């Protein structure tokens, strides 16, 4: 089997490859590329699970970055157990074919308790006093100690939140190289999230994102230079393309106005009670799953949402089957935004009653995805002083929270999840093995087979 590395440059599209990415452009010119027809929904967990299994969400069950866990009556995002992916992965088949095959997975999702040989994934350390300490999980466990001794603590707060920067992607790249030096896996998956951040904050504003493109280009160069010296088949790919948006849609507020949403009040603040609600929305970028505890309301709710400005399509029944989303985890309805719109999880009418987690980076408590977690209020000129003051209080042992996230969805300028109109905004698959790239556009399920061909080529 041939040594292969798959470098996931999140958000990379043909539109972004140019003067600000000279190395990636040169890699494209001496290699060959295909567009990837995006999976629906075109979001991280669904796309990665489709690439790694060769199956649709209707088969592997990952219908988004999160969904409603019906037995628990809770919405959960960013789960980590690989057992949630209900199909075998590419490394399972390759291990079956060759017992000497080994695989490393660096930060692709659902990376805990998988059957890869070496893995790293973000896993904060939650202390009893409420603090969240940057950390990560590895298999084998001693790999964590080796990497942290060599590279320092994983920069968690540069991986997500207002402080995101190239530091997290650089750390992941360095960890992949160190793991390769130690263990020489046959197949390595590497996740580089850097472009995701400012593309969602600012959209396709090249005056801003040119710096981010330059930064990720250097990290990609470091990785490709390292692996090509080892006669490695190198693949650069992405999961989705991010396009400009200017219309946040608050589906839960719309459903609440109709009396479908149940709210609990605790300490004077409102919480969404999904188990008691007749209908509620789980927002995930430009896709939202609509769950009905009262199924008799399906057609009424579908008609209501079809009239909302910015909603392009509401899928149900056979329509869900046609787009390969017919799985028990899926919403009873799935709402698709138009090109300029995206969905928030917001359910309150009065910001003074918003739950405490709304103003914090808290990906596990929020009943939907919240890109505003990467932003602070541009009108608050003292925000960094507030952060410094709060961090100082924490160091002195005082309880405090970093409630610095604005409730201003209009600040978000880029999103993804739907199928873009222009292939220039599709995810891309670039390889240094030209003969293995045969189609101009490949289906997302085909990525699995093309990756397997890279490992098995003779």
């Amino acid at each position: 089997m041939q040594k292969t590395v798959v470098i996931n440059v999140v958000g990379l599209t043909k539109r972004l490859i140019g003067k600000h990415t000279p190395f990636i452009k040169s890699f494209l010119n001496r290699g060959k590329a295909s567009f990837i027809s995006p999976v629906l929904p075109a979001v991280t967990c669904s796309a990665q699970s489709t690439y790694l299994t060769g199956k649709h969400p209707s088969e592997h069950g990952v219908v988004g970055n999160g969904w409603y866990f019906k037995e628990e009556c809770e919405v959960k995002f960013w789960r980590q157990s690989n057992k949630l992916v209900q199909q075998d992965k590419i490394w399972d088949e390759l291990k079956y074919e060759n017992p000497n095959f080994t695989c490393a997975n660096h930060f692709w999702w659902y990376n805990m308790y998988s059957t890869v040989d070496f893995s790293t994934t973000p896993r904060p350390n939650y202390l009893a006093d409420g603090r969240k300490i940057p950390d990560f999980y590895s298999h084998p466990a001693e790999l964590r100690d080796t990497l942290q001794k060599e590279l320092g603590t994983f920069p968690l707060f540069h991986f997500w939140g207002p402080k995101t920067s190239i530091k997290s992607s650089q750390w992941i790249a360095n960890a992949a190289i160190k793991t390769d030096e130690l263990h020489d896996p046959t197949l390595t998956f590497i996740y580089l999230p850097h472009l995701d951040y400012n593309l969602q904050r600012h959209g396709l504003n090249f005056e801003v994102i040119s710096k981010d493109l330059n930064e990720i280009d250097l990290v990609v160069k470091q990785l490709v230079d390292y692996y090509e010296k080892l006669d490695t088949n190198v693949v650069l790919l992405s999961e989705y393309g991010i396009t400009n948006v200017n219309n946040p849609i608050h589906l839960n507020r719309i459903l609440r106005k109709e009396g479908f949403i149940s709210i609990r009040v605790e300490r004077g603040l409102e919480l969404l009670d999904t188990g008691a609600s007749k209908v509620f929305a789980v927002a995930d970028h430009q896709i939202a799953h609509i769950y009905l505890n009262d199924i008799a309301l399906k057609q009424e709710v579908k008609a209501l949402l079809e009239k909302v400005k910015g909603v392009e399509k509401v899928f149900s029944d056979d329509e869900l089957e046609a787009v390969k989303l017919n799985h028990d985890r899926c919403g009873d309805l799935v709402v698709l935004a138009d090109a300029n719109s995206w969905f928030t999880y917001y359910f309150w009418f009065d910001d003074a009653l918003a739950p405490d987690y709304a103003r914090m980076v808290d990906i596990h408590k929020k009943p939907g995805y919240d890109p505003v977690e990467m932003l602070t209020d541009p009108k608050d000129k003292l925000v960094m002083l507030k952060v410094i003051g709060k961090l100082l209080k924490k160091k002195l042992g005082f309880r405090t929270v970093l409630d610095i996230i604005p409730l201003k969805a209009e600040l978000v300028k880029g999103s993804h999840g739907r199928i873009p109109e222009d292939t220039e905004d599709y995810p891309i698959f670039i390889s240094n093995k030209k003969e293995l790239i045969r189609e101009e556009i490949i289906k997302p399920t085909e990525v699995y087979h093309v990756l397997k061909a890279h490992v098995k080529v003779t």
Side-chain angles (χ1 to χ4, degrees), residues 281-334:
V282 175
D284 197 355
H285 300 83
Q286 292 180 299
I287 291 280
H289 290 266
I290 309 298
Y291 294 92
L292 297 106
N293 288 320
D294 184 350
I295 200 68
L297 295 170
K298 182 187 290 185
Q299 292 308 315
E300 180 183 349
V301 173
K302 184 175 183 181
L304 170 69
L305 297 179
E306 285 175 334
K307 297 175 183 176
V308 174
K309 179 184 177 183
V311 168
E312 184 171 284
K313 175 75 175 176
V314 182
F315 298 95
S316 65
D317 304 313
D318 292 346
E319 297 163 322
L320 289 172
E321 185 174 353
V323 295
K324 309 296 185 184
L325 273 173
N326 53 313
H327 190 279
D328 184 60
R329 294 171 177 169
C330 185
D332 301 286
L333 303 169
V334 171

Side-chain angles (χ1 to χ4, degrees), residues 252-458:
N252 279 318
R253 288 177 176 171
I254 294 168
L255 294 170
R256 184 175 176 180
K257 284 180 182 177
E258 299 298 318
F260 297 135
I261 295 282
S262 291
I263 296 295
R264 295 198 335 266
V265 178
E266 295 185 1
R267 296 179 299 107
L269 303 178
E270 296 183 342
L271 296 172
L272 176 63
D273 193 344
T274 53
S277 295
K278 295 178 181 177
V279 184
F280 61 93
V282 175
D284 197 355
H285 300 83
Q286 292 180 299
I287 291 280
H289 290 266
I290 309 298
Y291 294 92
L292 297 106
N293 288 320
D294 184 350
I295 200 68
L297 295 170
K298 182 187 290 185
Q299 292 308 315
E300 180 183 349
V301 173
K302 184 175 183 181
L304 170 69
L305 297 179
E306 285 175 334
K307 297 175 183 176
V308 174
K309 179 184 177 183
V311 168
E312 184 171 284
K313 175 75 175 176
V314 182
F315 298 95
S316 65
D317 304 313
D318 292 346
E319 297 163 322
L320 289 172
E321 185 174 353
V323 295
K324 309 296 185 184
L325 273 173
N326 53 313
H327 190 279
D328 184 60
R329 294 171 177 169
C330 185
D332 301 286
L333 303 169
V334 171
V335 187
L336 180 71
D338 68 17
N340 298 315
S341 304
W342 66 281
F343 300 120
T344 78
Y345 78 96
Y346 295 179
F347 53 84
W348 57 90
F349 296 135
D350 182 349
D351 284 353
L353 302 179
D356 57 357
Y357 59 65
R359 292 180 173 85
M360 298 176 63
V361 176
D362 201 330
I363 63 173
H364 299 304
K365 284 193 176 72
K366 294 179 181 180
Y369 173 73
D370 185 15
V372 189
E373 287 189 341
M374 290 186 292
L375 294 152
T376 56
D377 190 342
K379 293 182 179 179
D380 186 352
K381 304 303 181 184
L382 301 177
V383 67
M384 290 316 298
L385 288 176
K386 292 177 183 177
V387 171
I388 293 169
K390 288 174 178 289
L391 292 176
L392 182 60
K393 284 182 180 180
K394 280 180 175 285
K395 287 185 177 181
L396 292 173
F398 294 101
R399 283 186 174 272
T400 186
V401 294
L402 287 170
D403 51 350
I404 59 171
I405 305 303
L407 305 182
K408 296 183 177 181
E410 66 274 11
L411 294 174
V412 173
K413 301 301 180 185
S415 192
H416 58 91
R418 64 194 298 280
I419 312 301
E421 282 76 14
D422 194 331
T423 55
E424 292 282 300
D425 298 309
Y426 277 22
I428 197 165
F429 187 113
I430 312 171
S431 173
N432 65 352
K433 203 74 176 175
K434 289 184 179 183
E435 64 271 24
L436 296 179
I437 306 299
R438 301 187 178 95
E439 306 288 341
E440 182 181 358
I441 302 177
I442 60 174
K443 297 177 181 178
T445 50
E446 275 297 308
V447 171
Y448 171 92
H449 300 286
V450 181
L451 291 179
K452 194 163 68 169
H454 278 72
V455 179
K456 296 180 68 173
V457 68
T458 56

Side-chain angles (χ1 to χ4, degrees), residues 71-350:
E71 297 88 350
E72 301 179 59
C73 294
E74 291 184 6
V75 175
K76 295 184 178 182
F77 268 65
W78 307 111
R79 302 292 90 191
Q80 292 189 296
S81 170
N82 195 256
K83 298 181 188 302
L84 290 169
V85 187
Q86 298 172 334
Q87 294 286 331
D88 286 345
K89 291 80 188 176
I90 186 171
W91 52 79
D92 294 313
E93 183 168 343
L94 292 169
K95 280 175 179 283
Y96 178 79
E97 294 179 8
N98 185 339
N100 294 319
F101 167 88
T102 57
C103 184
N105 186 344
H106 296 283
F107 282 68
W108 283 49
W109 216 252
Y110 301 115
N111 202 7
M112 289 181 69
Y113 317 118
S114 80
T115 51
V116 298
D117 301 276
F118 314 100
S119 67
T120 58
T121 196
R123 188 70 167 180
N125 193 342
Y126 294 95
L127 303 186
D129 63 3
R131 285 180 294 160
K132 181 168 68 174
I133 304 298
D135 207 339
F136 72 101
Y137 181 94
S138 78
H139 174 79
E142 56 267 23
L143 179 60
R144 169 182 169 272
D145 301 326
T146 300
L147 293 177
Q148 292 212 126
K149 182 179 179 181
E150 185 85 13
L151 307 175
T153 303
F154 171 62
L156 178 73
F157 300 128
H158 293 270
F159 183 75
W160 187 252
K163 287 182 64 179
T164 52
S165 74
I166 194 63
K167 290 182 180 180
S168 60
S169 291
Q170 183 65 71
W171 192 98
I172 295 168
N174 293 341
I177 289 173
K178 184 62 180 177
T179 303
D180 193 81
E181 291 172 345
L182 291 169
H183 300 290
D184 190 26
T186 316
L187 174 62
T188 295
F189 292 93
I190 304 171
Y191 179 71
L192 303 178
H194 183 58
L195 291 182
D196 209 28
Y197 308 140
N198 269 346
L199 282 171
Q200 290 191 67
R201 290 182 182 115
H202 303 289
L204 296 170
N205 181 346
F206 282 88
E207 290 185 6
V208 176
I209 65 172
S210 59
K211 179 177 180 288
D212 304 278
L213 291 165
N214 290 151
E215 289 173 334
I216 202 64
D217 193 60
L218 291 174
V219 176
V220 171
K221 182 180 187 302
Q222 174 195 6
L223 286 167
V224 174
D225 286 349
Y226 169 81
Y227 280 101
E228 287 196 323
K229 287 177 182 176
L230 301 176
D231 189 30
T232 305
N233 288 343
V234 178
V235 172
L236 304 184
L237 58 70
S238 56
E239 306 156 1
Y240 46 76
I242 293 175
T243 53
N244 294 332
V245 292
N246 56 29
N247 180 41
I249 302 173
H250 313 295
L251 291 176
N252 279 318
R253 288 177 176 171
I254 294 168
L255 294 170
R256 184 175 176 180
K257 284 180 182 177
E258 299 298 318
F260 297 135
I261 295 282
S262 291
I263 296 295
R264 295 198 335 266
V265 178
E266 295 185 1
R267 296 179 299 107
L269 303 178
E270 296 183 342
L271 296 172
L272 176 63
D273 193 344
T274 53
S277 295
K278 295 178 181 177
V279 184
F280 61 93
V282 175
D284 197 355
H285 300 83
Q286 292 180 299
I287 291 280
H289 290 266
I290 309 298
Y291 294 92
L292 297 106
N293 288 320
D294 184 350
I295 200 68
L297 295 170
K298 182 187 290 185
Q299 292 308 315
E300 180 183 349
V301 173
K302 184 175 183 181
L304 170 69
L305 297 179
E306 285 175 334
K307 297 175 183 176
V308 174
K309 179 184 177 183
V311 168
E312 184 171 284
K313 175 75 175 176
V314 182
F315 298 95
S316 65
D317 304 313
D318 292 346
E319 297 163 322
L320 289 172
E321 185 174 353
V323 295
K324 309 296 185 184
L325 273 173
N326 53 313
H327 190 279
D328 184 60
R329 294 171 177 169
C330 185
D332 301 286
L333 303 169
V334 171
V335 187
L336 180 71
D338 68 17
N340 298 315
S341 304
W342 66 281
F343 300 120
T344 78
Y345 78 96
Y346 295 179
F347 53 84
W348 57 90
F349 296 135
D350 182 349

